[in-house]
Amino acid sequence: MTDPSQPDPFRPAPARDPHGVIAAETFRKSRGLWRVLAFIAIAIAIIVGLGRFALPNGAHTDYVARLVVDGTISTDRARLASIAALAEDDAVKAVIIAINSPGGTTAGGEELYQALGRLRAAKPTVAVIGELGASAAYMTAIATDRIFARRLSIVGSIGVLYQHINAGKLLDTIGVDLDKVASGPLKAEPDINEPMTGAPRASIAALVDDSFQWFVDIVAERRGLSRAATLALADGRIVTGRVGVQNGLIDAIGGEFEARAWLATARDIPADLEVKTVWPLPEQGFDLIGTFLNGQARAVLGLSQSPITLDGLVSLWQVGRAS
């Protein structure tokens, strides 16, 4: 007699649920897939982490640094830190400032001028102007030991401006009336609904003139010009690189090749040293992914990829939108 508590070896096994079999197999495969994906994610995180501490901080080979000043200039703490680090890096034998900018804020230009002045005291520096080096960008260039530009580069535009929009008639048309309570007669002046006249205009003019006089002073000092000669060039005009050489605004016609040759002959910097771009900092890992996604989102929304709004006093040669 067989024990009822023991399974009958001769009884056929119950049929397995086909849906359960499929579900179990799918779960087994998906679990393996997630393990692979987790391994890949960990590997990427390790590579990104190592990349942050690799070049250029880990490299000690001598090189020439290239600092790019491109687009609209404004103050930038990260850029300041990069410039300060170049001055302390023994591997950096010279610095090329590659400029292609219409200018920007007066504070941004001043920040670059002073930072590059400190760098110039520690390393040979040379500016190379591409298409454009005007206003605050020209202020940046004169902080270096020597300035090169193409024959047809646009340089100059020594000056400062403050722009005001009088939208009073528009606001009257749409029925908007602005009012305010201010602590003084010049607080928040000039108003957007009024012309810039009287005391507000005089106040802004004094602000512009103070910045302009300083701009003229540093151009005269750095370019070895008399103040009278500098003032004659400081009416806001732009000139080509060829004219800039003639009137003393730049030193020579050329680009990075000529700049390297000058560093070799005048500062004994070996011509075969590698040139490394140190600013802007290269984007890595998740920073790069975030920038890409942000750019795609702005493109979908029809927004500019470089949303920079300048408010206040600027030293900028403005280029109109292409038709």
Side-chain angles (χ1 to χ4, degrees):
M1 174 181 259
T2 60
D3 185 352
S5 63
Q6 299 295 323
D8 186 353
F10 300 102
R11 180 180 300 173
R16 301 178 64 184
D17 181 7
H19 297 290
V21 173
I22 295 174
E25 183 66 16
T26 301
F27 174 75
R28 184 185 66 81
K29 291 182 178 180
S30 65
R31 184 172 57 180
L33 175 62
W34 281 111
R35 285 175 178 173
V36 172
L37 292 177
F39 176 79
I40 293 174
I42 294 172
I44 292 175
I46 292 174
I47 292 173
V48 170
L50 291 176
R52 292 182 180 273
F53 299 98
L55 295 174
N57 293 333
H60 297 284
T61 304
D62 292 348
Y63 69 99
V64 174
R66 182 193 296 114
L67 188 144
V68 178
V69 178
D70 190 20
T72 307
I73 295 172
S74 60
T75 58
D76 191 318
R77 285 183 294 176
R79 183 179 60 206
L80 273 182
S82 292
I83 295 174
L86 291 176
E88 300 296 329
D89 190 348
D90 292 336
V92 176
K93 298 306 177 183
V95 182
I96 296 173
I97 315 300
I99 298 173
N100 187 19
S101 166
T105 67
T106 50
E110 177 190 1
E111 179 182 86
L112 267 173
Y113 174 80
Q114 293 181 339
L116 293 178
R118 292 189 292 269
L119 178 62
R120 184 181 70 245
K123 311 281 182 179
T125 59
V126 55
V128 176
I129 296 174
E131 285 81 2
L132 186 58
S135 295
Y138 180 69
M139 186 186 298
T140 300
I142 64 175
T144 64
D145 293 307
R146 193 166 179 84
I147 305 174
F148 288 87
R150 295 297 180 187
R151 184 189 183 282
L152 298 180
S153 297
I154 295 175
V155 300
S157 187
I158 302 169
V160 180
L161 67 91
Y162 178 95
Q163 290 183 319
H164 169 68
I165 298 175
N166 178 14
K169 292 183 179 180
L170 173 62
L171 296 176
D172 288 342
T173 300
I174 62 178
V176 175
D177 183 25
L178 298 180
D179 200 359
K180 69 178 181 181
V181 176
S183 58
L186 295 179
K187 181 63 178 176
E189 290 287 345
D191 271 329
I192 192 174
N193 63 333
E194 297 176 349
M196 185 164 49
T197 60
R201 187 177 191 89
S203 175
I204 296 298
L207 178 73
V208 170
D209 186 65
D210 182 62
S211 298
F212 173 68
Q213 296 301 329
W214 179 78
F215 197 170
V216 170
D217 287 342
I218 63 171
V219 172
E221 176 186 352
R222 293 295 306 149
R223 299 308 303 163
L225 300 171
S226 68
R227 202 168 195 284
T230 305
L231 281 171
L233 299 170
D235 55 2
R237 75 180 70 181
I238 53 173
V239 297
T240 63
R242 182 186 66 83
V243 175
V245 172
Q246 292 177 350
N247 60 29
L249 291 180
I250 66 173
D251 293 297
I253 299 298
E256 189 167 298
F257 178 84
E258 288 76 12
R260 291 297 307 274
W262 177 81
L263 286 171
T265 57
R267 296 303 180 92
D268 297 324
I269 305 299
D272 59 348
L273 287 185
E274 181 183 1
V275 179
K276 298 180 182 180
T277 299
V278 296
W279 181 269
L281 298 173
E283 292 180 322
Q284 299 174 332
F286 297 111
D287 293 337
L288 182 60
I289 296 173
T291 299
F292 173 77
L293 294 176
N294 178 62
Q296 295 302 308
R298 297 191 68 83
V300 170
L301 296 174
L303 301 177
S304 169
Q305 296 297 321
S306 301
I308 298 179
T309 301
L310 299 180
D311 188 14
L313 208 58
V314 298
S315 183
L316 181 74
W317 181 71
Q318 296 184 336
V319 182
R321 181 178 299 177
S323 58

